[in-house]
Amino acid sequence: MNKINVYAYHGSFSTIREAAFAEANIDWLDSGNPLCDICTESFAAYKLYDYLKKAELDYVSLIDNLSDAEANDLTFVIAGKNSSREIFSYLGLKDLPNPLSSKDGYIIRELPGLEKRILLYGNSRIAVLYAMYHYLKTQGFAFISPDEYGFVIPKLEKLTPLNDTVVEEPDYKTRGFLSGYSDDTNEQFLEWMIANRLDNMSLHEVKNVPFVKKLGIKISGGGHKAMYEYLPADQPDPNYIPAPGEPPKTYFETHPEWFALRNGKREAGVNKDAAAKGYYTGNNFCMSNKDAVKEFCKNFLNSIIGGSLKDADFINVWPLDNGKWCECEECAKLGNYTRQILLVAYELMKAIKDAQKKGHLKRDILLIVPAYHETLPGPDKPLPEDFDYDMITVNLFTIERCYVHDLFDERCTEANTILADRIREWTMKEDRYYKGDLVIGEYFNVSSFASIPVVLADRIAKDMPDYYKWGARHFNFMHMISDSWGAKIINNNLYAALLWDIDLDVEAFIDQMLNVFYEQKAADVKSILKKVEKALENCKYIFHYQFVDGVINALKRNITKDKPFVSKHVQFDKILDDPNAGIDFESGYAMLKEAYAESVMLYEGEKEGAVKERLWQLKTHLEYGTDLYTIYRLILLYSQAHNKGENESCKKIAKEMKDLNEQCTAIHWALKGYKSERMFFDSLAAASWQIQLYERIIEQEALTGAKAELTL
């Protein structure tokens, strides 16, 4: 009987299996360490072997020596740049032509002159894994959602032959996400990332660094917190040596000139109350003060070398969130806020390069500066001639956008055209001063969405190729969650696929995914998701915020006012005759309820099995979304009744609101993927980000038990 073999070069390790699980004993901070490649490639071999066994194929073996493969066996050879030389030498082959230009590119092909020898080659460690998962997908495997029923493993009698050579390279250079609320404890979530060819992530917490590194995933660090953490005004200055008996002095006490000049007075930095809740805002330090920048960069570098950022590859050099800036004359001379933060990143870049030259740092670092709120405009003066655009890039965040329109849709004059102009300014303007790549930061699950079932298939399908067209080459979004996707399988999988191939046939991709996942119910699910997409197209104004004629506005800012709907995008129960207009609030609510009711019927009519479990997840997700929308609606209706003095109506609405808040159970599943305390919501009202208003209403109507006794 012919066998199926899987082989990878395992170096000094005794077996492939040993090498595959040796990550805890490998120095991942040295990018030149050959053991890194050996471990990852061996893991790719082990996973291929393991999945073929799970598919119930006979005679599958993990072989530690190529000489163990007989001529008639089908043998998979897993190889990367370095190991391929060893393998080809053993086989008596010359190096194969390598048409790949991207480090993330891979090739699947038969080895020349060696029938039944299939090469899975990657240009980097992570690309070897990409090749392995690509091959599995050709055999009917699917990796759609990070949960018990999220991966589809076929039962195979034999493998489908490889007819053509596969050569794959990504369109976007880096492909990842930011998540302030999830961690890496769900390994299936990390596997989904690799199977769908993502390469970087920023999480609330990374607990298993060796495993993440083994997968080749780049870890992001830094962020808004860095501006405080590496130059904390209220912490002791380690450079100050107090006299005997003298207490230590803070940075602000020793160097008030390092901190922001506001209204003619130097002020300390971060807002402590906000920081205690994980939100870093306040005053940025004085970026024109060379000594302040030097100290900031020194502390930042120490963290990158051996501190909390020692495992990070992408470093976010961000100012404080919605922070205030120094008003001194020297800062004004530097240029606009964008140029100021770019120059700080430039100084950090020089410090990092010096550390790399001296051997203190043995890995590549990418510094990322935000184009966000006050730094949306490009720099207004030239950058230094030795500004390294391969090491510093800019992440433009589209947080003020709407999702009624495509980002580059000229009809969206209230919001998106402003952001589209900014993107073109960064990438296409002839006299621009920034000449590097652009990262786009999207908001498919922004914080206050709290994982409601927003479906953005049409927006993602149109925007991601357009972003690429207008010069973007890197991409991330906030906030990916590590579990409980439900309707989000559309956004997350389509996003990953388009990052790799902007020319993807989107409809065919979605249909194939739904057919594999929901089988005979795929068409019904697609119809439901289309309704959800339309129902929640005004999600940004209703649940978060967006530009309204260039100024940030939102329902939550106006919900207690007589006129809560100030945007042309959305009115309460009518659609304006205006190109900005999308679905109205009431119609969206009715359509979401309709979609939820259909999902219940679909679930109840399905026989027991994996498809029924997936339908339960979809149903539960839509139930949660409907309940959250209902809470918003009841708060709105209460406010309107209160403004009109309709006391009986107020009492009735408040009672309905309280009952819903205490009876909602879908929240348990919907927020299971959130691991940060900031998202440990104990009730539906809390998840709506309207908890204070909710509690005031309950108190005003003298209803006891304001807070639901729910725990996640």
PDB file of all heavy atoms in Angstrom, residues 44 94 121 129 176 234 330 350 413 458 486 507-508 527 566 629 641 652 708:
ATOM      1  N   ALA A  44       4.735  23.209  10.779  1.00  0.00           N
ATOM      2  CA  ALA A  44       3.912  23.135   9.564  1.00  0.00           C
ATOM      3  C   ALA A  44       3.781  21.683   9.105  1.00  0.00           C
ATOM      4  O   ALA A  44       2.686  21.233   8.716  1.00  0.00           O
ATOM      5  CB  ALA A  44       4.523  23.993   8.462  1.00  0.00           C
ATOM      6  N   LYS A  94      19.293  21.206  -8.066  1.00  0.00           N
ATOM      7  CA  LYS A  94      19.745  22.588  -7.990  1.00  0.00           C
ATOM      8  C   LYS A  94      18.620  23.436  -7.395  1.00  0.00           C
ATOM      9  O   LYS A  94      17.461  23.031  -7.378  1.00  0.00           O
ATOM     10  CB  LYS A  94      20.104  23.111  -9.385  1.00  0.00           C
ATOM     11  CG  LYS A  94      21.282  22.401 -10.036  1.00  0.00           C
ATOM     12  CD  LYS A  94      21.572  22.994 -11.411  1.00  0.00           C
ATOM     13  CE  LYS A  94      22.758  22.292 -12.065  1.00  0.00           C
ATOM     14  NZ  LYS A  94      23.047  22.829 -13.419  1.00  0.00           N
ATOM     15  N   TYR A 121       6.786  25.337  -0.282  1.00  0.00           N
ATOM     16  CA  TYR A 121       7.902  26.252  -0.011  1.00  0.00           C
ATOM     17  C   TYR A 121       7.385  27.632   0.374  1.00  0.00           C
ATOM     18  O   TYR A 121       6.471  28.177  -0.256  1.00  0.00           O
ATOM     19  CB  TYR A 121       8.789  26.390  -1.254  1.00  0.00           C
ATOM     20  CG  TYR A 121       9.819  27.497  -1.120  1.00  0.00           C
ATOM     21  CD1 TYR A 121      11.033  27.258  -0.488  1.00  0.00           C
ATOM     22  CD2 TYR A 121       9.556  28.778  -1.592  1.00  0.00           C
ATOM     23  CE1 TYR A 121      11.975  28.276  -0.338  1.00  0.00           C
ATOM     24  CE2 TYR A 121      10.477  29.803  -1.442  1.00  0.00           C
ATOM     25  CZ  TYR A 121      11.691  29.553  -0.812  1.00  0.00           C
ATOM     26  OH  TYR A 121      12.603  30.559  -0.654  1.00  0.00           O
ATOM     27  N   LEU A 129       3.893  28.190   6.591  1.00  0.00           N
ATOM     28  CA  LEU A 129       2.587  27.846   7.139  1.00  0.00           C
ATOM     29  C   LEU A 129       1.466  28.223   6.174  1.00  0.00           C
ATOM     30  O   LEU A 129       0.486  27.472   6.018  1.00  0.00           O
ATOM     31  CB  LEU A 129       2.384  28.545   8.479  1.00  0.00           C
ATOM     32  CG  LEU A 129       3.183  27.970   9.649  1.00  0.00           C
ATOM     33  CD1 LEU A 129       3.234  28.956  10.805  1.00  0.00           C
ATOM     34  CD2 LEU A 129       2.595  26.640  10.111  1.00  0.00           C
ATOM     35  N   GLY A 176      -3.183  42.762   9.331  1.00  0.00           N
ATOM     36  CA  GLY A 176      -3.434  42.399  10.719  1.00  0.00           C
ATOM     37  C   GLY A 176      -4.604  43.128  11.334  1.00  0.00           C
ATOM     38  O   GLY A 176      -5.516  43.583  10.645  1.00  0.00           O
ATOM     39  N   ASP A 234       4.564  62.401  36.549  1.00  0.00           N
ATOM     40  CA  ASP A 234       4.333  62.235  37.982  1.00  0.00           C
ATOM     41  C   ASP A 234       5.189  61.140  38.615  1.00  0.00           C
ATOM     42  O   ASP A 234       5.026  60.822  39.789  1.00  0.00           O
ATOM     43  CB  ASP A 234       2.857  61.939  38.240  1.00  0.00           C
ATOM     44  CG  ASP A 234       2.401  60.657  37.560  1.00  0.00           C
ATOM     45  OD1 ASP A 234       3.122  60.172  36.657  1.00  0.00           O
ATOM     46  OD2 ASP A 234       1.328  60.139  37.917  1.00  0.00           O
ATOM     47  N   GLU A 330       8.602  77.096  20.110  1.00  0.00           N
ATOM     48  CA  GLU A 330       9.499  76.140  19.466  1.00  0.00           C
ATOM     49  C   GLU A 330       8.732  74.962  18.871  1.00  0.00           C
ATOM     50  O   GLU A 330       9.086  74.463  17.797  1.00  0.00           O
ATOM     51  CB  GLU A 330      10.549  75.643  20.469  1.00  0.00           C
ATOM     52  CG  GLU A 330      11.517  76.719  20.922  1.00  0.00           C
ATOM     53  CD  GLU A 330      12.233  77.384  19.744  1.00  0.00           C
ATOM     54  OE1 GLU A 330      12.764  76.643  18.882  1.00  0.00           O
ATOM     55  OE2 GLU A 330      12.247  78.623  19.676  1.00  0.00           O
ATOM     56  N   LYS A 350      16.529  56.470  15.052  1.00  0.00           N
ATOM     57  CA  LYS A 350      17.988  56.573  15.137  1.00  0.00           C
ATOM     58  C   LYS A 350      18.511  55.814  16.347  1.00  0.00           C
ATOM     59  O   LYS A 350      19.557  55.144  16.274  1.00  0.00           O
ATOM     60  CB  LYS A 350      18.409  58.036  15.182  1.00  0.00           C
ATOM     61  CG  LYS A 350      18.160  58.792  13.886  1.00  0.00           C
ATOM     62  CD  LYS A 350      18.893  60.126  13.826  1.00  0.00           C
ATOM     63  CE  LYS A 350      18.382  61.110  14.853  1.00  0.00           C
ATOM     64  NZ  LYS A 350      19.041  62.428  14.733  1.00  0.00           N
ATOM     65  N   THR A 413     -20.849  63.547   1.401  1.00  0.00           N
ATOM     66  CA  THR A 413     -20.201  64.841   1.658  1.00  0.00           C
ATOM     67  C   THR A 413     -20.104  65.164   3.143  1.00  0.00           C
ATOM     68  O   THR A 413     -19.276  65.976   3.550  1.00  0.00           O
ATOM     69  CB  THR A 413     -20.973  65.963   0.948  1.00  0.00           C
ATOM     70  OG1 THR A 413     -22.347  65.942   1.387  1.00  0.00           O
ATOM     71  CG2 THR A 413     -20.922  65.779  -0.566  1.00  0.00           C
ATOM     72  N   ASP A 458     -20.362  44.663   1.652  1.00  0.00           N
ATOM     73  CA  ASP A 458     -20.298  45.569   0.499  1.00  0.00           C
ATOM     74  C   ASP A 458     -19.214  46.625   0.676  1.00  0.00           C
ATOM     75  O   ASP A 458     -18.502  46.968  -0.267  1.00  0.00           O
ATOM     76  CB  ASP A 458     -21.653  46.245   0.281  1.00  0.00           C
ATOM     77  CG  ASP A 458     -22.699  45.286  -0.266  1.00  0.00           C
ATOM     78  OD1 ASP A 458     -22.326  44.181  -0.698  1.00  0.00           O
ATOM     79  OD2 ASP A 458     -23.892  45.636  -0.248  1.00  0.00           O
ATOM     80  N   GLY A 486     -20.273  34.535  15.001  1.00  0.00           N
ATOM     81  CA  GLY A 486     -21.617  34.598  14.434  1.00  0.00           C
ATOM     82  C   GLY A 486     -21.621  35.249  13.068  1.00  0.00           C
ATOM     83  O   GLY A 486     -20.986  34.781  12.124  1.00  0.00           O
ATOM     84  N   GLU A 507     -18.239  37.742  -4.546  1.00  0.00           N
ATOM     85  CA  GLU A 507     -19.479  36.971  -4.472  1.00  0.00           C
ATOM     86  C   GLU A 507     -19.191  35.474  -4.455  1.00  0.00           C
ATOM     87  O   GLU A 507     -19.796  34.717  -3.682  1.00  0.00           O
ATOM     88  CB  GLU A 507     -20.401  37.318  -5.640  1.00  0.00           C
ATOM     89  CG  GLU A 507     -21.140  38.628  -5.468  1.00  0.00           C
ATOM     90  CD  GLU A 507     -21.991  38.661  -4.209  1.00  0.00           C
ATOM     91  OE1 GLU A 507     -22.770  37.709  -3.975  1.00  0.00           O
ATOM     92  OE2 GLU A 507     -21.869  39.628  -3.436  1.00  0.00           O
ATOM     93  N   ALA A 508     -18.258  35.044  -5.305  1.00  0.00           N
ATOM     94  CA  ALA A 508     -17.912  33.621  -5.334  1.00  0.00           C
ATOM     95  C   ALA A 508     -17.282  33.198  -4.011  1.00  0.00           C
ATOM     96  O   ALA A 508     -17.558  32.100  -3.504  1.00  0.00           O
ATOM     97  CB  ALA A 508     -16.952  33.341  -6.490  1.00  0.00           C
ATOM     98  N   SER A 527     -29.286  35.524   2.701  1.00  0.00           N
ATOM     99  CA  SER A 527     -30.401  36.473   2.655  1.00  0.00           C
ATOM    100  C   SER A 527     -30.547  37.200   3.990  1.00  0.00           C
ATOM    101  O   SER A 527     -30.761  38.421   4.027  1.00  0.00           O
ATOM    102  CB  SER A 527     -31.693  35.725   2.313  1.00  0.00           C
ATOM    103  OG  SER A 527     -32.808  36.590   2.382  1.00  0.00           O
ATOM    104  N   VAL A 566     -29.121  64.650  13.877  1.00  0.00           N
ATOM    105  CA  VAL A 566     -28.619  65.864  13.248  1.00  0.00           C
ATOM    106  C   VAL A 566     -27.863  65.575  11.959  1.00  0.00           C
ATOM    107  O   VAL A 566     -27.368  66.493  11.312  1.00  0.00           O
ATOM    108  CB  VAL A 566     -27.701  66.633  14.218  1.00  0.00           C
ATOM    109  CG1 VAL A 566     -28.463  67.027  15.469  1.00  0.00           C
ATOM    110  CG2 VAL A 566     -26.461  65.806  14.582  1.00  0.00           C
ATOM    111  N   TYR A 629     -29.900  47.155  20.198  1.00  0.00           N
ATOM    112  CA  TYR A 629     -30.605  48.192  19.441  1.00  0.00           C
ATOM    113  C   TYR A 629     -31.859  48.628  20.220  1.00  0.00           C
ATOM    114  O   TYR A 629     -32.197  49.823  20.303  1.00  0.00           O
ATOM    115  CB  TYR A 629     -30.998  47.644  18.071  1.00  0.00           C
ATOM    116  CG  TYR A 629     -31.202  48.669  16.960  1.00  0.00           C
ATOM    117  CD1 TYR A 629     -30.683  48.438  15.687  1.00  0.00           C
ATOM    118  CD2 TYR A 629     -31.916  49.841  17.158  1.00  0.00           C
ATOM    119  CE1 TYR A 629     -30.866  49.343  14.654  1.00  0.00           C
ATOM    120  CE2 TYR A 629     -32.112  50.763  16.129  1.00  0.00           C
ATOM    121  CZ  TYR A 629     -31.584  50.507  14.884  1.00  0.00           C
ATOM    122  OH  TYR A 629     -31.770  51.411  13.860  1.00  0.00           O
ATOM    123  N   ALA A 641     -40.202  61.222  25.394  1.00  0.00           N
ATOM    124  CA  ALA A 641     -41.390  61.315  26.240  1.00  0.00           C
ATOM    125  C   ALA A 641     -41.140  62.231  27.437  1.00  0.00           C
ATOM    126  O   ALA A 641     -42.014  63.016  27.834  1.00  0.00           O
ATOM    127  CB  ALA A 641     -41.794  59.918  26.712  1.00  0.00           C
ATOM    128  N   LYS A 652     -43.676  53.497  31.758  1.00  0.00           N
ATOM    129  CA  LYS A 652     -43.856  52.265  30.990  1.00  0.00           C
ATOM    130  C   LYS A 652     -42.583  51.901  30.217  1.00  0.00           C
ATOM    131  O   LYS A 652     -42.154  50.738  30.212  1.00  0.00           O
ATOM    132  CB  LYS A 652     -45.022  52.437  30.024  1.00  0.00           C
ATOM    133  CG  LYS A 652     -45.308  51.218  29.164  1.00  0.00           C
ATOM    134  CD  LYS A 652     -46.481  51.474  28.227  1.00  0.00           C
ATOM    135  CE  LYS A 652     -46.725  50.270  27.337  1.00  0.00           C
ATOM    136  NZ  LYS A 652     -47.844  50.512  26.379  1.00  0.00           N
ATOM    137  N   ALA A 708     -28.623  44.835  36.331  1.00  0.00           N
ATOM    138  CA  ALA A 708     -28.927  43.420  36.150  1.00  0.00           C
ATOM    139  C   ALA A 708     -27.852  42.564  36.806  1.00  0.00           C
ATOM    140  O   ALA A 708     -26.685  42.899  36.776  1.00  0.00           O
ATOM    141  CB  ALA A 708     -29.005  43.099  34.658  1.00  0.00           C
TER     142      ALA A 708
END
